[in-house]
Amino acid sequence: MVCLSAKFKIMLSQNQYLQVALGTSRRRSFTYLPPVTIPQYQALIPGIRLQVPLGNRQVVGILLKVSNHCDIVATKLKAATALIDLQPVLPEGLFQLGLWACRYYQYPVGDGLLHMLPTKLRQAQRNQPVSSHWQRLDDSIALTAAAILQRSPKQAAIWHQLKELPVIFNQQQLKRVGLTPGALKGLLQKGLLKTLLQPTTAPEPKLAQDALVLNPEQTRALQCISPMSQHFRCTLLQGVTGSGKTEIYLQAITQCLSQGRRALILVPEIGLTPQTLQQLQARFDNTIICLHSGLTDKQRLDGWQQANLGFADIVVGTRSAIFTPIPQLGLIVVDEEHDLAYKQQDGLRYHARDLAVKRAYDEAIPIILGSATPALESLANVERGRFQHAVLPKRAGPAQQQRYQIIDVCNEVLSGGLSTELLLHIEQHLRANQQVLLFLNRRGFAPSLQCHNCGLTITCPQCDASLTLHQEPARLHCHHCDHKQAVICQCPYCHNQNLQAIGVGTERCEAQLNKQFPTVPVLRIDSDSTRGKHKLPQLLAEILTGQPCILLGTQMLTKGHHFPSVTLVGLLDLDASLFSTDFRGPERLAQQVVQAAGRAGRANQPGLALLQTRQGEHPYIQILTQRGYAEFACYELQRRRQAQLPPYTHMAIFRAEAKLAQSAEQCLTHLQKALDDLPEAGEQLRAIGPIPASMLRRNGRYRYQLLLQHPQRQALQTICSKLCLLAEQKQLHKVRWSLDIDPQEIM
Ligand code: ADP
Ligand code: ZN
């Protein structure tokens, strides 16, 4: 009998084939036998990581499935080397979301799933959270503590210190009494403390500050969101800047916590996380964890693990935080939902907002998408009845909506990008002790350097783009490939020594402002001036003192910040973005204008937004300034519908790049020709291309794209997956290709 059952066991194990997803560019899984070292009874659960041989390397993979049969002869299969996890590294729901995302974005599943994990877990590191929460044992034991600690005065002192803390305390609290986790070792050994591996109670709101009394519009919006409900409901919260969306988030989170559930807040930029964190910390004493790309790998892993264990009641983060495992998630907030930063532009090209909606749907919970300038996609989803619409038409509290005024600069010679009229306005506002914000979306001193004699523009050796002249520090810099070189004083073509800086960047404008207003601080805020961890917070703190000053910055300045003393906003250069080749150009322009203008007059002073342009009569500018974003959106949606563009059709782009222009183009021509043989590619399919990218050569590579549009998503998905297969099968020599589903940018 014993013999038989042993034989039976071996047969079972022989019949186990592991389908493993590896981080390679192949769109398929790989089959392995179970590791020889594991015990027979070891359960192999999909979602665990394993180490497997691939060629002569050892790589990390994720187990997708265990099956009983396999088409490959067993002797040709290799065994996995070892199990890294005993339990799935992602909870089931997130694992499924990841699989769904890889299918939807047609991305290799192994690479996609590994991308969802913190960097350290993409390697073979064990998923072993460091302890961060401890519990002091109850008083009956504590009474004997003195006896136990009699002979170790050092530990007795620590025990004494710990008594200042709550019975359950975390690492931050420990730090506050001046102790490190290492100091607890002795007490843990003696059984006076224990490590907690999960929270002992469900979340509940711990308010540090009273909630504001909502105005009627806010009340209606909160009812619409219904954060107490435990079913899927997506609300687009469209509120002009300063209308009190944040207060609604805070109250929705409170209601979510009161249900014993946790909340996830997404913000587009790392620059916005400290501000959001501050607002949350001011309101809640609950544990809040912040996840963004500015953290070290270790900090990120730590935050992720704590969230996974349920120690964070609130998680705040940027794009990839959508993949944070959070038990009993009850609410998702996507702030500034229109922001382009939510779209991942390489690898798994997901849109975090769209995945957030999918996650909320899967977990059957409410989700809020907030913005003053919603994406047209989201407005179309309201139109289709998929999203609820809650509108906050005016500013909360005493602040009024700012006014617009157009400054026509046709025929005017500007100094440092500034018109006489704009300078007059700036002076007025400064004299009234107010702050001025100027928006110029171009960093550096000047966007190009040109020879005065032959007209040659100095271009990047790697890209079809001019080099930007910078003064701090002096250099020529390519903003596309990061190529840097010393400033040249002689034309490389005609050797003339008269080279001129053409156009205006933030550095040049700053110099002019310093000349015009020598006694007023000019704070330049762009990615150059805010390099280093403390720079941006320092600058923001200076602004918040309310002293008169001029803030000059790129779009990073206009996003979501609340500057109560700014009363004048100037937009210096709209015209460049009016003639974009991307069909989303007007939408982005409108969002930028409204977001920038919305920084004016957020407290009790009225605000003014000045638009400096040579295209004052342009219908977009007229509609936007006279009738507002909602009307603009209607107009633009109409135009998209007529032109059969997204959101009224679905789009995908195949991109290819190579050192030889011909190779990149041929790769796409091959795909485009294959369309003729695909039954799904009927008359409704619109294929455009291969067309060269508007900047053909970038970083030494030539880039082409093939645009596909189809009114039915499923048909487009099928076409794309067939083309992916083709592209994979054909040995494309030295061509990098990618597929972008729902692309947000056309190159
Ligand atoms: P948004 O997020 O829509 O840009 P905020 O939430 O930052 O707007 O609100 C702008 C200002 O209005 C803040 O100073 C906020 O404290 C205030 N505010 C919001 N809601 C109310 C309210 N119900 N009553 C009074 N003031 C409010
Ligand atoms: Zn370059």
Side-chain angles (χ1 to χ4, degrees), residues 199-399:
T200 47
T201 52
E204 54 177 5
K206 297 174 193 151
L207 293 185
Q209 172 197 63
D210 285 338
L212 296 177
V213 179
L214 299 184
N215 62 35
E217 285 86 12
Q218 285 174 314
T219 307
R220 235 172 290 138
L222 189 62
Q223 275 165 358
C224 180
I225 294 160
S226 55
M228 309 275 255
S229 73
Q230 293 181 5
H231 51 250
F232 170 71
R233 193 183 172 100
C234 179
T235 307
L236 178 65
L237 177 60
Q238 179 172 9
V240 296
T241 39
S243 58
K245 294 185 289 296
T246 310
E247 184 59 31
I248 294 185
Y249 302 157
L250 295 175
Q251 298 201 16
I253 296 167
T254 310
Q255 293 191 11
C256 162
L257 293 169
S258 71
Q259 299 290 101
R261 292 173 156 247
R262 305 187 171 83
L264 169 64
I265 327 295
L266 297 182
V267 293
E269 299 256 322
I270 171 174
L272 285 179
T273 36
Q275 183 188 323
T276 312
L277 193 62
Q278 247 168 32
Q279 286 166 330
L280 288 166
Q281 280 169 340
R283 176 69 49 95
F284 300 104
D285 274 335
N286 296 66
T287 315
I288 303 170
I289 280 181
C290 209
L291 292 169
H292 55 76
S293 57
L295 302 177
T296 63
D297 285 350
K298 184 171 177 308
Q299 289 170 325
R300 245 185 121 98
L301 175 67
D302 218 38
W304 187 92
Q305 284 171 330
Q306 294 310 312
N308 192 15
L309 294 175
F311 282 119
D313 293 343
I314 303 169
V315 175
V316 190
T318 46
R319 182 174 61 221
S320 63
I322 187 56
F323 297 123
T324 316
I326 303 170
Q328 276 86 48
L329 182 63
L331 175 72
I332 304 179
V333 177
V334 183
D335 192 22
E336 310 289 348
E337 64 90 34
H338 64 279
D339 204 293
L340 187 57
Y342 283 122
K343 172 82 173 168
Q344 169 87 15
Q345 303 285 19
D346 57 13
L348 177 65
R349 291 170 168 76
Y350 64 95
H351 199 302
R353 175 200 59 218
D354 298 349
L355 282 187
V357 174
K358 170 75 176 141
R359 184 167 178 184
Y361 178 83
D362 290 348
E363 304 210 15
I365 56 170
I367 172 169
I368 311 173
L369 309 180
S371 175
T373 53
L376 297 188
E377 269 84 2
S378 299
L379 287 167
N381 277 326
V382 167
E383 219 174 65
R384 292 177 188 125
R386 289 187 196 155
F387 295 176
Q388 314 279 320
H389 202 193
V391 181
L392 304 176
K394 52 181 202 298
R395 289 190 171 175

Side-chain angles (χ1 to χ4, degrees), residues 459-467 477-483 695 697-700:
T459 54
C460 172
Q462 307 281 343
C463 308
D464 292 332
S466 61
L467 288 171
H477 191 167
C478 175
H479 289 179
H480 305 285
C481 73
D482 215 28
H483 165 85
M695 184 199 306
R697 194 173 53 114
R698 182 182 169 147
N699 211 355

